[in-house]
Amino acid sequence: MEGIPPTTPRTVEEVFSDFRGRRTGLIKALTTDVDKFYQQCDPEKENLCLYGLPNETWEVNLPVEEVPPELPEPALGINFARDGMQEKDWLSLVAVHSDSWLLAVAFYFGARFGFGKNERKRLFQMINEMPTIFEVVTGNAKQPKEQSANHNNSGKSNKSSGKVSRQPEPQSKVVKTSPPPKEEDESGEEDEEDDEQGATCGACGESYGADEFWICCDICERWFHGKCVKITPAKAEHIKQYKCPTCSSKRARV
């Protein structure tokens, strides 16, 4: 059967390792490999499931034929909803079902091998320390405590980067902060306010909102809502240089 590890996990640590591997694979499918995943979920095909595998890979496949299955099965028929929803909503829905499936598999192993109260509690605590797939895909993963403390103590300098994202900024140039602050003068605060209020999305033309994820093109340096260019914070972390749709098409014609 698809998804069964060569060696069935029997300890808390082994079950958590299995959980972590499957989770990594599912996150890849819904972020870095999202285009490939989207294409494989053809609504014209039969009922399809998204499987996360212990080796940190993923696959879209038909459900197993044996009844009952060896392991709990993922949500059935995810491909049928693909074209009836906005892509971000569909991915969020798949993420929620994937989170549920991961927990079901982990605690199936726990029940099968007789985990006691303390072992079940320890397993859940280990799992609960990690952001859910839904939180990663939607960009709502909580900041580590250390980063949160730095965020709260950053003062005005953090205000200037507010239009980037509510999430920790990746090290790449993709999600840029606003330009370096000018030398302090009497009009410094006014300039900062004007910069925030004057920003508009290069795709939809709407004004900047502090509670929205924004991304800046490394070529034309225009700002865009992540939702307008189909880029999530999680996906942005894996982009070294972001080119907006306009700059990408110009380069293709050259």
Side-chain angles (χ1 to χ4, degrees), residues 19 23 27 99 102 126-137 140-144:
F19 171 92
R23 173 183 175 275
I27 290 175
D99 281 319
L102 284 179
M126 294 169 73
I127 291 173
N128 203 39
E129 287 297 314
M130 309 182 76
T132 64
I133 298 175
F134 175 78
E135 288 172 335
V136 173
V137 170
N140 292 324
K142 294 180 180 180
Q143 300 178 15

Side-chain angles (χ1 to χ4, degrees), residues 9-113:
R10 294 174 180 271
T11 67
V12 171
E13 288 71 22
E14 289 173 341
V15 171
F16 177 67
S17 178
D18 179 89
F19 171 92
R20 187 170 51 195
R22 294 176 189 273
R23 173 183 175 275
T24 298
L26 292 170
I27 290 175
K28 287 179 181 177
L30 299 175
T31 55
T32 55
D33 298 343
V34 68
D35 292 336
K36 181 180 177 182
F37 170 64
Y38 188 89
Q39 291 173 358
Q40 291 189 20
C41 292
D42 186 349
E44 298 300 320
K45 295 182 180 180
E46 298 182 41
N47 290 308
L48 295 175
C49 300
L50 172 61
Y51 293 90
L53 306 180
N55 62 354
E56 300 186 359
T57 60
W58 60 274
E59 67 177 8
V60 172
N61 211 335
L62 295 171
V64 296
E65 295 182 359
E66 61 180 327
V67 178
E70 178 66 21
L71 289 179
E73 283 288 289
L76 182 65
I78 56 172
N79 51 316
F80 296 147
R82 191 194 74 177
D83 294 345
M85 309 172 65
Q86 291 189 8
E87 182 178 343
K88 65 176 183 179
D89 295 331
W90 176 66
L91 292 174
S92 297
L93 179 63
V94 176
V96 168
H97 282 292
S98 297
D99 281 319
S100 300
W101 177 66
L102 284 179
L103 288 172
V105 172
F107 282 89
Y108 163 81
F109 286 132
R112 180 176 175 182
F113 296 108

Side-chain angles (χ1 to χ4, degrees), residues 48-249:
L48 295 175
C49 300
L50 172 61
Y51 293 90
L53 306 180
N55 62 354
E56 300 186 359
T57 60
W58 60 274
E59 67 177 8
V60 172
N61 211 335
L62 295 171
V64 296
E65 295 182 359
E66 61 180 327
V67 178
E70 178 66 21
L71 289 179
E73 283 288 289
L76 182 65
I78 56 172
N79 51 316
F80 296 147
R82 191 194 74 177
D83 294 345
M85 309 172 65
Q86 291 189 8
E87 182 178 343
K88 65 176 183 179
D89 295 331
W90 176 66
L91 292 174
S92 297
L93 179 63
V94 176
V96 168
H97 282 292
S98 297
D99 281 319
S100 300
W101 177 66
L102 284 179
L103 288 172
V105 172
F107 282 89
Y108 163 81
F109 286 132
R112 180 176 175 182
F113 296 108
F115 285 7
K117 177 181 177 181
N118 292 335
E119 291 170 310
R120 293 194 304 269
K121 182 178 180 180
R122 185 154 61 93
L123 175 61
F124 180 76
Q125 287 175 336
M126 294 169 73
I127 291 173
N128 203 39
E129 287 297 314
M130 309 182 76
T132 64
I133 298 175
F134 175 78
E135 288 172 335
V136 173
V137 170
T138 59
N140 292 324
K142 294 180 180 180
Q143 300 178 15
K145 292 181 180 179
E146 183 178 346
Q147 291 184 352
S148 297
N150 293 335
H151 176 81
N152 293 332
N153 295 330
S154 59
K156 287 185 182 178
S157 60
N158 192 57
K159 182 180 178 183
S160 65
S161 62
K163 65 183 176 183
V164 178
S165 168
R166 288 172 291 173
Q167 309 309 315
E169 295 171 6
Q171 295 301 314
S172 67
K173 290 176 61 182
V174 178
V175 186
K176 294 183 176 179
T177 59
S178 48
K182 299 178 182 179
E183 293 183 5
E184 292 186 6
D185 55 37
E186 296 179 357
S187 61
E189 293 185 4
E190 292 182 6
D191 290 343
E192 189 174 19
E193 276 188 30
D194 291 342
D195 178 57
E196 288 188 3
Q197 294 176 357
T200 57
C201 175
C204 68
E206 292 185 6
S207 299
Y208 158 66
D211 60 343
E212 297 175 303
F213 170 71
W214 283 61
I215 187 167
C216 183
C217 175
D218 283 298
I219 306 302
C220 65
E221 299 200 351
R222 288 188 299 166
W223 290 93
F224 298 86
H225 288 110
K227 62 183 180 182
C228 290
V229 290
K230 296 184 178 180
I231 299 292
T232 64
K235 192 172 183 179
E237 292 180 3
H238 301 278
I239 304 175
K240 293 183 179 179
Q241 183 184 57
Y242 175 67
K243 298 176 186 176
C244 68
T246 301
C247 291
S248 296
S249 60

